[in-house]
Amino acid sequence: MRASGRGRLLIACLLCLTGLPAFADQVAVIDPNAHYPEGPLWRDGKLFYDEYSASNIKSWDGKRTAIYWHKGGCGANSLVAFNSHLLVACYDSNALVELDATGKQIREIHQDSSGKPFVGPNDFAADGHGGIYFSVSGVYDLKAPISGAVLHMTADGKTIAEVANTIHYSNGLTLAKDQQHLLVAEMLAGRILSFPIGADGKLGSRTVWARLEDLAPPTPHEDAYNGPDGVKLGPDGNYYIAQNGSGRVLVVGEDRKLVRTINVPTPYVTNMAFGPQGSNIVFVTGAFEQWKAPFPGAVYRWSR
């Protein structure tokens, strides 16, 4: 439901309190009571998104929200279209769940083809050839060993192989505009990595594509956990980076210069998706609180 005049005023007030510019006329609240929303995906004329702390997938049809799928203990964190199905990253149960077109679970995967268990499946990106890249983040703790990785699932869904590792909490990822590189958010290092894509989806040696501190000035109260969460290549050819902890999405050009920011009231911005109008409509998910239950959050529709 589009925000009323009173609702837009409330958004503006919240933005003022966080010290962010108030672009209230561009932001509407879709779901004001989401439980740590993540992984938005526009599909079949609806917006689908996860509620991580409630282990739900919810849908929005332009008028109302509804629970599409639930699995206790999953910790649903991201969604991606896979053939005619959906893949769900279950961060808490360390699994990928495949759903058919009706939302029925048809399989659950806990390890790669070598038998190595997943630790914190987090986000997805299509590889452009029917397969999927996904991040397994490791432990969300600055003091934990650096164990984040990227894995690749083949188009037939039969083979899953680790293609990069030793990433300080691998999170969002997207194909670059040239379709020859994979960009990966190294969240706890505050930067975006770039990997050349080789044969069979394998990745080459990494380089640093950008550091968040070089893209935009810091926001008040940033801490060591402030970093890139979801990353998407937009229909306009720009890169959209959810800056978790700063209440904003950074829109960055191919030249790695800031084009604009999308500001929302939730400080812990997690991810974004694009509607049928392309980059003129951006759906943004975020949480007001990421450390304490019940992890209140909201889903927004930004337009220009």
Side-chain angles (χ1 to χ4, degrees):
M1 180 174 64
R2 182 175 293 276
S4 65
R6 183 178 179 182
R8 290 192 293 269
L9 179 60
L10 175 59
I11 293 169
C13 291
L14 287 168
L15 287 166
C16 291
L17 288 173
T18 60
L20 298 172
F23 298 114
D25 60 327
Q26 297 177 324
V27 178
V29 183
I30 287 174
D31 186 348
N33 298 304
H35 297 281
Y36 211 102
E38 272 270 21
L41 173 68
W42 184 266
R43 181 178 170 86
D44 299 330
K46 295 181 180 179
L47 181 72
F48 293 84
Y49 56 96
D50 303 292
E51 284 188 303
Y52 163 71
S53 60
S55 292
N56 291 330
I57 297 173
K58 294 177 80 173
S59 65
W60 176 74
D61 63 3
K63 295 181 179 179
R64 58 184 63 86
T65 61
I67 294 176
Y68 176 76
W69 179 83
H70 171 81
K71 186 177 180 67
C74 162
N77 209 59
S78 187
L79 300 168
V80 70
F82 183 64
N83 299 319
S84 60
H85 295 172
L86 281 177
L87 287 179
V88 186
C90 290
Y91 184 89
D92 287 351
S93 61
N94 296 310
L96 302 185
V97 173
E98 185 171 351
L99 307 178
D100 68 13
T102 69
K104 180 182 177 181
Q105 179 177 322
I106 59 174
R107 66 170 174 159
E108 186 168 334
I109 312 166
H110 289 268
Q111 59 190 23
D112 66 19
S113 296
S114 72
K116 183 178 179 179
F118 304 145
V119 181
N122 199 323
D123 208 351
F124 294 108
D127 70 0
H129 302 284
I132 300 291
Y133 288 105
F134 64 98
S135 55
V136 290
S137 301
V139 180
Y140 190 55
D141 187 336
L142 287 165
K143 298 178 182 179
I146 298 175
S147 58
V150 175
L151 289 88
H152 180 256
M153 176 187 286
T154 54
D156 61 9
K158 295 180 179 179
T159 303
I160 300 175
E162 184 177 280
V163 291
N165 54 35
T166 322
I167 302 170
H168 205 179
Y169 204 81
S170 49
N171 204 323
L173 59 176
T174 188
L175 282 188
K177 191 175 180 179
D178 65 6
Q179 302 287 294
Q180 301 299 313
H181 292 80
L182 183 73
L183 302 187
V184 179
E186 189 175 27
M187 187 174 187
L188 294 183
R191 61 188 186 178
I192 307 294
L193 303 176
S194 175
F195 295 86
I197 299 173
D200 301 322
K202 295 179 181 179
L203 301 181
S205 299
R206 74 197 70 189
T207 58
V208 176
W209 187 82
R211 293 178 173 84
L212 260 59
E213 63 184 14
D214 297 327
L215 296 176
T219 54
H221 313 300
E222 283 189 13
D223 61 19
Y225 287 90
N226 186 294
D229 200 318
V231 180
K232 296 282 196 312
L233 173 63
D236 57 0
N238 293 318
Y239 298 94
Y240 289 68
I241 304 168
Q243 188 172 6
N244 194 297
S246 288
R248 65 188 181 186
V249 175
L250 305 178
V251 183
V252 179
E254 186 69 22
D255 59 359
R256 305 174 203 185
K257 302 293 184 182
L258 187 67
V259 175
R260 64 178 177 275
T261 60
I262 297 173
N263 300 300
V264 294
T266 47
Y268 303 101
V269 179
T270 56
N271 218 322
M272 58 268 135
F274 306 95
Q277 293 81 22
S279 57
N280 289 328
I281 301 292
V282 184
F283 298 101
V284 182
T285 53
F288 291 101
E289 171 59 66
Q290 74 165 357
W291 300 109
K292 297 178 182 179
F295 308 104
V299 181
Y300 303 96
R301 178 184 184 272
W302 177 91
S303 59
R304 60 173 180 172

